[in-house]
Amino acid sequence: MHKEIVIRVCMGPGGIAAGGKEVLGSFREHLLKAGIFAKLKEKCSSHQVGCLGLCARDVLVEVHINRNKTVYQYVKPDMVERIVSEHISGGKPVEEWLADDTFKTFYGKQMKIVLADCGKVDPEDINSYIYSGGYEPTREVLTSWIPDDVIDEIKTSGLRGRGGAGFPTGLKWELARRSKSEIKYIICNADEGDPGAFMDRAVIEGNPHSVIEGMIIGAFAIGSNKGYVYIRAEYPLAVERLKIALKQAYERRFLGKNIFNTSFSFDIDIKLGAGAFVCGEETALIASIEGQRGMPRPKPPFPISKGLWQRPTVINNVETLANIPYIIRKGAGWYSSFGTEKSKGTKVFALTGKIRNTGLIEVPMGISLREIIYEIGGGIEGGKALKAVQTGGPSGGCIPASMLDLNVDYESLAKAGSIVGSGGMIVLDEDNCMVNMAKYFIQFTQAESCGKCVPCRVGTKRLLEILERITKGQGRDGDIERLERLCNGVKNTSLCGLGQTAPNPILSTIRYFREEYETHIRDKKCPAKVCKDLLIYSIIEEKCKGCGTCMKACPSGAITGDKKKPHKIDPNKCIRCGACFDVCKFKSVGRD
Amino acid sequence: MNDILLNIIEKYRKKNGNIIFLLQETQEALGYIPKQAIDLFSEELNIAPSRIYGVATFYSQFRLKPTGKNIIVACCGTACHVKGAEKIINGLRKGLELAEDEDTTPDGEFTLEEIACLGTCSFAPVVLVNSAVYGKANINALLKKIGSKRKKSA
Ligand SMILES: Cc1cc2nc3c(=O)[nH]c(=O)nc-3n(C[C@H](O)[C@H](O)[C@H](O)COP(=O)(O)O)c2cc1C
Ligand code: FES
């Protein structure tokens, strides 16, 4: 009997970081050595696939034998030999390395549309995408639809932009279609600036053709013949795979002149971003493609009427575009059956932070935070208590643990003072300080502020100064009100989305964690023990064995004491680095 | 170096390029953007040096100083931040004995860069040493690794 063997090794961002390439190489070597390919005449292939989602367990390997799937977690190259000999040759899976039960709950509540083919198709082989039904939607649209059909279909699907603002995609396309111009552009925004999110990276690395297809269909709908992908230079693998995908699409003539023998022609170029968060903003992005400093300009005019080189331009996020071929393939009605009344379909989130199952998840809009954190995410790491969930990155806010039953959709999150954003979802536990988080984000936006408008340039700086003061124990009465006033000023008067949303992390943490701010300001204490300058280290005499480890670790010579006698910390010399706290095996260094 | 730069100018003219293109090509070829390059571009292409500097300093990708032999990139994105990136970065600065405002060691061996999210947040905190990914980074293990590199090249 022939055995059909397929081995899939995760080569998503997580898989590669954990050594996916080496694992794949090891499979090739051991399969060859075992003669599995040649001798047994089995059909066996091992290939790289995009992100399988559960990055925390990487390298993940799926072994399919006659379509029976077994999943291994934490695979290292030296484990491959045993998997090949015991499982693939011997037929008995290596029990102790199998992915456990949480693995099932991780996938159970998810609904995959954008990520459905990530992990199935080989991102570097267009055929693999075509076999799975790829480019069929493009063919159908180009050969038998008119542009208005496409716009209607996308409008009916209810798809809204996944780049942050949630603007209805069909409507955007319709407005651009109505803009009169010989030349129009479509730009894929792959700048992914939210520091702590990697959805777009995973989609481009895992299934680049879905994005290309979305661009072709969008270009056809608005009447454009030229597209750009603006992508971060910090994602070299995504750039590489995108280049390969474009080349293959040109070879198959899905791009170029007279696609599918129609009169429609379309070209795509890659533009590398040079590392500026503000370039995710549409008008700044356009300036950057034109080769200038990425400074935003006032809107209107909106890019749909005056964009790149003054021509009508549609800018869509990676995930938005990757949804398009699937909506065409399965129908707007199918798509809009997922989600809530105003937020349709699914959203990809990068679930990270203090959570057990970190990774990429795709869920129907409207799912509750509780389901995400406790069912998909498997709960908080190390049995700690959940404190808050940060969504929307530097433009978003923190949702406290008490609001876990909140639905995740555009409207509910906005009401709670945060945003869906591009999809970063960072779980914070009791050891995270909310004032520190607010400071972290404002530090980021302050550094990334382009400096064009005063409220953002000066306002973020002043906000940062106040927060720095508070975390250093120099907070003053009225600082919270001062922050709130300034936040509202910056929010209401900044030129672009960066400044308009930069105060959100501060406002939302004040809203839900006001007490924590007060403790910092009034008592000069950090309850989560994060703010360095507010901590006092001392040695608990009863517990100290006088081993001298802390004395050696102390970089400032603040610790003294005789051997086998309790040591002492000189508070005037202590620089509060916490080195003694970290090294003491007897937990005899106190921190308050 | 001049030949390389002239080549880039040639390419720029052919491709109808822009300043970002000039700078990206220069950095790709030389590892950084020397003053000499800016002067030459300015002269040959009749662009004010201030405009080129303006673009070069706007984007964090561009370096105006040469880097060390080994490049260490520490992620300071949100996921890494909540998992203690600050400790790692401070530890690296101390371990490498970097001066306050410097990011390259005096012996030219190491450059430490900070970046907001490498896109491997599941392994936070993340550090790259010459493009190799170190996930769930531990400062002591990292310093050992770096120390061994230093010895090898010494
Ligand atoms: C400061 C700032 C940064 C942004 N960064 C991104 C980004 O990294 N990726 C993205 O797709 N959209 C980003 N956006 C949103 C875009 O400006 C734009 O709304 C989006 O790309 C439109 O696509 P969509 O309608 O498909 O969401 C950013 C906006 C602002 C104000
Ligand atoms: S935040 Fe460090 S890799 Fe994303």
Side-chain angles (χ1 to χ4, degrees):
Chain A
M1 200 189 86
H2 284 314
K3 271 206 277 183
E4 188 191 62
I5 300 172
V6 179
I7 294 157
R8 295 203 173 115
V9 179
C10 178
M11 291 282 222
I16 288 189
K21 267 200 184 125
E22 291 74 20
V23 170
L24 184 70
S26 185
F27 265 108
R28 292 216 167 111
E29 181 196 324
H30 286 290
L31 288 170
L32 197 73
K33 236 195 238 159
I36 289 182
F37 194 24
K39 219 166 54 202
L40 300 171
K41 284 225 178 78
E42 285 159 336
K43 180 171 163 211
C44 174
S45 62
S46 52
H47 50 203
Q48 51 185 355
V49 294
C51 190
L52 293 173
L54 191 49
C55 310
R57 307 288 172 85
D58 269 324
V59 178
L60 286 169
V61 174
E62 289 180 10
V63 175
H64 301 244
I65 301 184
N66 295 334
R67 289 172 196 267
N68 279 324
K69 175 166 104 177
T70 318
V71 186
Y72 290 98
Q73 59 184 8
Y74 303 118
V75 178
K76 298 256 171 298
D78 55 7
M79 293 159 66
V80 169
E81 185 168 7
R82 236 183 103 190
I83 297 177
V84 169
S85 66
E86 289 180 26
H87 185 181
I88 298 172
S89 307
K92 253 188 72 195
V94 187
E95 292 288 338
E96 71 251 43
W97 295 339
L98 294 182
D100 55 28
D101 280 348
T102 47
F103 195 77
K104 292 200 186 79
T105 57
F106 180 78
Y107 288 110
K109 286 263 167 162
Q110 296 198 48
M111 167 66 216
K112 298 209 173 188
I113 297 175
V114 174
L115 296 181
D117 286 330
C118 284
K120 292 211 181 101
V121 302
D122 181 341
E124 296 184 8
D125 179 7
I126 193 171
N127 290 322
S128 150
Y129 181 68
I130 296 173
Y131 289 141
S132 79
Y135 286 104
E136 192 46 36
T138 302
R139 192 191 59 76
E140 177 165 336
V141 164
L142 296 194
T143 55
S144 49
W145 293 31
I146 57 166
D148 285 332
D149 293 344
V150 181
I151 289 169
D152 282 343
E153 188 76 3
I154 301 303
K155 272 171 118 179
T156 318
S157 76
L159 175 65
R160 293 168 62 174
R162 301 292 191 241
F167 192 84
T169 307
L171 181 59
K172 193 186 271 188
W173 288 7
E174 186 176 35
L175 294 171
R177 167 141 205 95
R178 287 215 215 108
S179 282
K180 291 215 165 31
S181 171
E182 284 281 295
I183 299 173
K184 292 180 192 175
Y185 297 103
I186 184 165
I187 299 173
C188 169
N189 187 346
D191 197 37
E192 196 151 66
D194 175 357
F198 54 102
M199 304 75 47
D200 295 348
R201 167 177 180 180
V203 170
I204 291 186
E205 287 181 10
N207 194 3
H209 289 287
S210 65
V211 181
I212 296 175
E213 218 182 339
M215 286 182 77
I216 302 173
I217 295 169
F220 174 77
I222 66 165
S224 157
N225 301 111
K226 176 84 200 184
Y228 291 96
V229 181
Y230 186 83
I231 184 168
R232 294 180 81 184
E234 288 94 332
Y235 287 171
L237 182 68
V239 175
E240 182 60 36
R241 289 205 173 146
L242 188 62
K243 279 188 183 155
I244 296 173
L246 284 176
K247 185 164 164 276
Q248 294 180 343
Y250 268 106
E251 280 164 11
R252 290 299 187 106
R253 307 196 41 206
F254 297 144
L255 286 171
K257 287 221 160 11
N258 303 106
I259 304 169
F260 289 111
N261 294 322
T262 63
S263 60
F264 179 69
S265 304
F266 183 58
D267 289 295
I268 298 181
D269 250 347
I270 298 180
K271 285 278 174 185
L272 289 188
F277 174 63
V278 71
C279 287
E281 198 279 338
E282 301 180 313
T283 57
L285 187 153
I286 287 171
S288 180
I289 292 187
E290 292 172 354
Q292 304 155 23
R293 288 165 68 104
M295 305 263 237
R297 58 155 179 77
K299 296 187 270 190
F302 288 94
I304 39 162
S305 49
K306 268 199 167 118
L308 189 59
W309 291 301
Q310 302 298 313
R311 305 289 189 169
T313 303
V314 159
I315 299 176
N316 275 131
N317 164 263
V318 171
E319 189 185 333
T320 313
L321 290 167
N323 268 301
I324 303 292
Y326 297 95
I327 293 174
I328 304 284
R329 214 190 278 188
K330 299 202 172 155
W334 166 82
Y335 190 81
S336 64
S337 69
F338 306 105
T340 65
E341 200 198 324
K342 288 190 176 149
S343 305
K344 298 292 185 197
T346 59
K347 175 81 193 90
V348 181
F349 288 99
L351 188 59
T352 60
K354 307 287 183 64
I355 187 138
R356 288 182 59 208
N357 301 333
T358 58
L360 268 198
I361 62 167
E362 182 171 355
V363 289
M365 286 279 190
I367 189 173
S368 74
L369 263 183
R370 184 182 302 281
E371 286 168 284
I372 293 183
I373 305 293
Y374 286 99
E375 293 181 38
I376 299 174
I380 309 306
E381 239 181 12
K384 298 261 178 171
L386 171 71
K387 186 166 185 179
V389 181
Q390 208 284 338
T391 65
S395 318
C398 292
I399 296 154
S402 60
M403 290 175 68
L404 264 192
D405 290 309
L406 191 78
N407 293 340
V408 176
D409 58 59
Y410 292 107
E411 283 71 32
S412 312
L413 281 178
K415 235 198 263 153
S418 187
I419 56 168
V420 172
S422 57
M425 190 176 269
I426 293 149
V427 179
L428 308 173
D429 70 4
E430 53 191 292
D431 294 338
N432 291 113
C433 165
M434 303 316 283
V435 185
N436 171 276
M437 283 313 288
K439 188 178 83 174
Y440 169 79
F441 281 118
I442 207 75
Q443 228 161 11
F444 178 82
T445 34
Q446 192 271 325
E448 293 292 337
S449 168
C450 77
K452 181 164 176 172
C453 76
V454 176
C456 176
R457 182 180 70 233
V458 184
T460 53
K461 181 84 184 160
R462 293 290 102 87
L463 286 169
L464 176 60
E465 284 165 2
I466 299 176
L467 285 171
E468 273 178 341
R469 217 170 60 213
I470 296 177
T471 54
K472 282 203 173 117
Q474 295 153 9
R476 301 178 201 146
D477 255 2
D479 266 350
I480 298 182
E481 292 71 24
R482 209 166 285 131
L483 280 173
E484 284 176 322
R485 219 171 28 241
L486 193 49
C487 278
N488 286 322
V490 172
K491 219 175 142 130
N492 295 331
T493 57
S494 287
L495 169 64
C496 87
L498 191 144
Q500 287 158 10
T501 58
N504 285 349
I506 304 181
L507 287 172
S508 79
T509 46
I510 293 183
R511 174 164 164 192
Y512 297 115
F513 299 93
R514 202 179 181 104
E515 253 170 60
E516 202 167 333
Y517 276 86
E518 280 168 359
T519 313
H520 279 76
I521 296 172
R522 210 181 30 210
D523 308 336
K524 319 286 180 214
K525 292 247 176 270
C526 175
K529 312 225 188 302
V530 172
C531 300
K532 233 174 86 175
D533 295 305
L534 303 182
L535 301 177
I536 297 169
Y537 289 91
S538 60
I539 286 175
I540 307 164
E541 281 190 24
E542 310 85 72
K543 285 194 187 169
C544 179
K545 306 258 191 272
C547 68
T549 315
C550 59
M551 205 150 54
K552 269 191 224 121
C554 179
S556 65
I559 304 179
T560 49
D562 295 329
K563 235 185 176 149
K564 306 225 168 129
K565 296 230 174 87
H567 293 0
K568 259 201 162 32
I569 301 179
D570 179 351
N572 296 323
K573 283 192 188 163
C574 174
I575 56 166
R576 302 176 167 117
C577 66
C580 51
F581 185 87
D582 291 339
V583 295
C584 182
K585 286 193 210 90
F586 310 104
K587 295 213 175 343
S588 60
V589 178
R591 189 170 65 171
D592 192 33
Chain B
M1 185 189 321
N2 240 18
D3 288 351
I4 298 177
L5 295 176
L6 289 174
N7 243 333
I8 293 173
I9 292 177
E10 184 81 359
K11 251 196 197 164
Y12 168 94
R13 288 203 172 107
K14 235 189 248 152
K15 283 188 114 180
N16 216 349
N18 57 43
I19 298 179
I20 295 181
F21 171 84
L22 276 179
L23 297 174
Q24 278 175 337
E25 292 280 314
T26 310
Q27 184 152 311
E28 172 91 29
L30 303 173
Y32 77 110
I33 297 155
K35 179 170 178 299
Q36 193 187 338
I38 297 182
D39 291 345
L40 189 76
F41 293 154
S42 159
E43 210 151 286
E44 289 281 322
L45 301 169
N46 200 18
I47 310 174
S50 62
R51 277 195 59 212
I52 306 180
Y53 270 113
V55 173
T57 52
F58 185 85
Y59 295 99
S60 60
Q61 183 195 3
F62 299 123
R63 304 186 191 106
L64 299 173
K65 283 188 206 158
T67 60
K69 261 190 235 149
N70 298 288
I71 298 185
I72 302 169
V73 181
C75 176
C76 58
T78 320
C80 292
H81 175 77
V82 306
K83 291 251 189 153
E86 216 177 316
K87 253 196 178 150
I88 302 270
I89 293 170
N90 289 339
L92 283 170
R93 291 196 72 89
K94 220 173 98 208
L96 292 170
E97 295 167 20
L98 285 171
E100 188 94 351
D101 286 320
E102 285 296 331
D103 47 16
T104 301
T105 50
D107 59 1
E109 281 294 321
F110 295 96
T111 293
L112 176 67
E113 291 187 340
E114 287 175 34
I115 208 174
C117 195
L118 291 159
T120 44
C121 318
S122 292
F123 297 93
V126 185
V127 174
L128 297 183
V129 180
N130 296 333
S131 306
V133 184
Y134 291 85
K136 307 209 165 134
N138 167 301
I139 183 66
N140 293 327
L142 264 174
L143 287 175
K144 239 188 224 158
K145 179 98 213 151
I146 291 166
S148 73
K149 274 197 197 307
R150 188 163 256 176
K151 257 182 236 130
K152 240 183 263 161
S153 59

